[in-house]
């Protein structure tokens, strides 16, 4: 039997024997090469307002063609998109080539003012080769690329994508390593991702506030101060949690969100609430 191959995409570095699939459920060892299990298999495709990504300060008022795959390299028990991120959909998917996405994006640009493509809904970096190939075509056509991600990827992967990225929203789960361990990720990897992308393109950050997990004011002060050091003009979205997937706690109280917003605003000029 062939020796396992190490997946190079994220900090898990899954060791996969031929035929095995990584914890993201989206990358497989095929004859000694780690490849996307479903290159171009889309679980979602829609024209969305840019504010839904969420991006509040990048081409506001515009629409963007949003596509999503399946799989994720984290296991957040409160995942808001678990139906496609935590399992491979058994139906309602279709295979779409990068050139077909380009054609759809260009058609929507003519008819509905589309500005480009957003890679979103699940964790798109588990299928980063498809993102890379599509994003390059979109840029060549004079449109923009938006990435919505948890930031759990290696420098090598990010280096391939950065030249074609125009805006990124990064999901920052919290500001303590134990929060990331509980979700199957690594805090320092996401911090590094934020710092590196913010030096290249427009970046906004989203933190879903889950009661009892990441709603401590001291943690929020540290998070906001760190983000301000990266870029004091950076936008932070504090989003209200609702019970989804395996989480059963009641929704985040509105007063909690307002209090954390005030804490973050001591460091950042742009702090917005979502899902309220």
């Amino acid at each position: 039997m062939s020796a396992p191959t190490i997946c190079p995409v994220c900090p898990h570095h899954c060791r996969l024997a031929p035929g095995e699939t990584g914890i993201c459920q989206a990358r497989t060892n095929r004859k000694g090469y780690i490849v996307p299990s479903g290159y171009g298999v889309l679980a979602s495709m829609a024209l969305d307002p840019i504010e839904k990504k969420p991006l509040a300060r990048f081409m506001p008022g515009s629409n963007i063609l949003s596509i999503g795959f399946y799989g994720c390299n984290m296991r957040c028990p409160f995942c808001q998109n678990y139906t496609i991120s935590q399992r491979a959909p058994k139906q309602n998917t279709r295979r779409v080539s990068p050139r077909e996405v380009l054609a759809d994006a260009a058609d929507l640009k003519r008819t509905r003012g589309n500005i480009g493509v957003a890679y979103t809904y699940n964790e798109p970096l588990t299928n980063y080769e498809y993102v890379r190939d599509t994003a390059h075509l979109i840029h060549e056509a004079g449109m923009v690329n938006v990435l919505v991600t948890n930031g759990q990827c290696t420098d090598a992967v990010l280096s391939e994508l950065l030249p074609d990225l125009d805006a990124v929203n990064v999901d920052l789960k919290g500001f303590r390593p134990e929060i990331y361990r509980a979700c199957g990720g690594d805090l320092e990897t996401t911090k590094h991702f934020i710092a590196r992308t913010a030096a290249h393109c427009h970046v906004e950050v989203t933190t879903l506030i889950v009661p009892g997990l990441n709603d401590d004011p001291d943690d929020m002060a540290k998070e906001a101060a760190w983000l301000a050091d990266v870029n004091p003009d950076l936008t932070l979205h504090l989003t209200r949690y609702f019970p989804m997937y395996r989480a059963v706690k009641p929704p985040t109280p509105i007063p909690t969100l307002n209090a954390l917003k005030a804490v973050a605003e001591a460091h950042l000029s742009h702090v917005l609430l979502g899902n309220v």
Side-chain angles (χ1 to χ4, degrees), residues 4 29 35 72 82 96 113 117 126-127 131 138 164 185 225 241 261 263:
N29 183 335
V35 298
C72 184
Y82 70 95
V96 184
V117 174
T126 61
N127 205 343
V131 174
I138 294 298
D164 289 311
Y241 144 93
K261 181 175 185 289
V263 170

Side-chain angles (χ1 to χ4, degrees), residues 57 85 115 141 192 206 237 239-240:
R57 299 174 59 230
S85 69
I115 61 170
H192 179 74
T206 297
H237 301 261
T239 306
R240 191 184 190 199

Side-chain angles (χ1 to χ4, degrees), residues 92-140:
N92 298 325
T93 62
R94 62 188 180 110
R95 193 176 295 274
V96 184
S97 73
R99 290 202 173 274
E100 288 174 317
V101 173
L102 171 63
D104 287 345
D107 183 62
L108 288 168
K109 180 181 180 181
R110 289 190 297 269
T111 61
R112 299 181 64 182
N114 174 46
I115 61 170
V117 174
Y119 311 89
T120 180
Y121 300 133
N122 73 314
E123 176 44 60
L125 295 182
T126 61
N127 205 343
Y128 88 91
E129 295 93 338
Y130 184 87
V131 174
R132 176 199 62 203
D133 297 345
T134 306
H136 188 65
L137 293 175
I138 294 298
H139 252 190
E140 285 187 329

Side-chain angles (χ1 to χ4, degrees), residues 45-49 63-66 108 112 114 121:
M45 191 173 193
L47 187 67
D48 288 335
N63 292 321
I64 190 163
L65 178 62
S66 300
L108 288 168
R112 299 181 64 182
N114 174 46
Y121 300 133

